[in-house]
Amino acid sequence: MTNMTNLTHTTFALGSDLPVSRIGYGAMRLTGAPADRSGAGAPIWRAPTDRDAAVALLRRAADLGVTLFDTADAYALGANEELIAEALHPYRDGVTIATKVGVVRPSVGEWVPLGHPAYLRQQAELALRRLKSDRIDLLQLHRIDPEYPLEEQIGALRQLQEEGKVRHIGLSEVSVEQVTAAEAIAPIASVQNMYNLATREHEAVVDHTAARGIAFLPFFPIAMGELAGPDSPLAAVAGELGASPSQVALAWQLHRSPNIVPIPGTSSPAHLEENVAALQLALTEDQFKRING
């Protein structure tokens, strides 16, 4: 069961012992040219062309109280991890860095799972170098590779944990059954799935992770689609609270379950501040139900 003594409205204890802000930051979009970052087809292939601005944005996020920063070795072929280190190293007390291994990028348009245990361990070693760290706070399996036994993939991360190179283990884009299977191999501290008002296929995973005390990290958390129309319940609640629809979409997630830790990404300082401010919004149960539909 969830250890409620480790939870507040604004923080969640990752792995029961690592408090993180319940609005994190997803660094995936800090790649390439600003004009190429939006949409599902964003390449996420090269280091940002506006590097100074990206570094300043990450530092601003930390100054605003964001303590969870999410990246991956597949984002710009490791350049995203290097960017995190350039901006935030030496890491101030309380800052938690999450990265992922288990996907290869043989070309700009390909994201291919690769769960060979030796490869996972090698990529973790490279991540440690790029992040300028001797331990990864949260190492997530980017995707489960059906070509290798789950025991070998999670076992590789467990080996890194036993060696002191990884503090906590997480998963990405998984089902309840896969989470349960992974938990039989190693303690699982987080699950990162796509989840937002318009995409709710993982409701069962949210409930399962909440019951197990596992953090649920929604990516693309602000996607709202038609639910953000001018006559929508979301827009009505935003008006009642004097907030933006995107802030209310984040507040809806925070209200949904105390283990949810959204990781919105942006390259706009104004949007960053708006996202972080959503942590102070409190929905009534009526407002939540109206938005929930």
Side-chain angles (χ1 to χ4, degrees), residues 156-170:
L157 305 192
R158 180 65 182 266
Q159 179 178 342
L160 290 161
Q161 189 178 50
E162 292 170 346
E163 292 170 351
K165 297 172 181 177
V166 167
R167 181 166 179 174
H168 291 301
I169 296 170

Side-chain angles (χ1 to χ4, degrees), residues 32-203:
D36 297 330
R37 291 174 184 158
S38 62
I44 320 296
W45 185 244
R46 298 188 184 279
T49 58
D50 55 343
R51 194 176 191 89
D52 290 346
V55 166
L57 187 86
L58 289 165
R59 291 174 178 167
R60 178 59 179 154
D63 289 341
L64 289 170
V66 173
T67 59
L68 177 63
F69 293 83
D70 179 80
T71 182
D73 73 334
Y75 300 164
L77 302 181
N80 200 248
E81 292 174 326
E82 293 172 345
L83 181 71
I84 292 281
E86 180 179 343
L88 301 178
H89 186 272
Y91 303 110
R92 66 180 72 179
D93 289 345
V95 166
T96 294
I97 307 299
T99 193
K100 309 177 202 71
V101 294
V103 166
V104 294
R105 301 289 309 278
S107 74
V108 66
E110 294 180 273
W111 299 72
V112 183
L114 180 55
H116 191 296
Y119 174 76
L120 298 178
R121 290 168 49 217
Q122 171 187 281
Q123 293 310 102
E125 294 287 354
L126 291 172
L128 285 165
R129 295 183 188 186
R130 289 189 288 257
L131 291 169
K132 299 181 180 179
S133 179
D134 57 8
R135 183 172 69 170
I136 296 169
D137 297 317
L138 175 62
L139 183 61
Q140 304 158 97
L141 184 61
H142 207 154
R143 292 293 185 272
I144 292 176
D145 183 352
E147 298 300 317
Y148 295 90
L150 183 64
E151 292 82 359
E152 294 184 7
Q153 296 175 70
I154 302 300
L157 305 192
R158 180 65 182 266
Q159 179 178 342
L160 290 161
Q161 189 178 50
E162 292 170 346
E163 292 170 351
K165 297 172 181 177
V166 167
R167 181 166 179 174
H168 291 301
I169 296 170
L171 305 169
S172 183
E173 280 298 276
V174 288
S175 65
V176 169
E177 293 74 20
Q178 289 170 323
V179 176
T180 301
E183 281 192 282
I185 305 163
I188 300 301
S190 70
V191 168
Q192 184 176 144
N193 286 6
M194 184 186 292
Y195 182 73
N196 51 57
L197 272 169
T199 306
R200 300 192 220 175
E201 287 83 357
H202 293 298
E203 296 283 11

Side-chain angles (χ1 to χ4, degrees), residues 231-291:
D231 299 322
S232 67
L234 183 69
V237 171
E240 293 165 13
L241 295 174
S244 70
S246 61
Q247 286 178 312
V248 176
L250 289 171
W252 169 82
Q253 294 207 6
L254 298 173
H255 189 103
R256 166 67 176 83
S257 184
N259 70 316
I260 290 183
V261 182
I263 49 171
T266 180
S267 57
S268 162
H271 288 164
L272 171 66
E273 295 187 11
E274 182 178 286
N275 292 342
V276 175
L279 198 57
Q280 306 307 318
L281 286 182
L283 302 181
T284 66
E285 194 61 30
D286 174 70
Q287 288 170 331
F288 174 76
K289 290 179 180 177
R290 284 155 55 199
I291 296 168

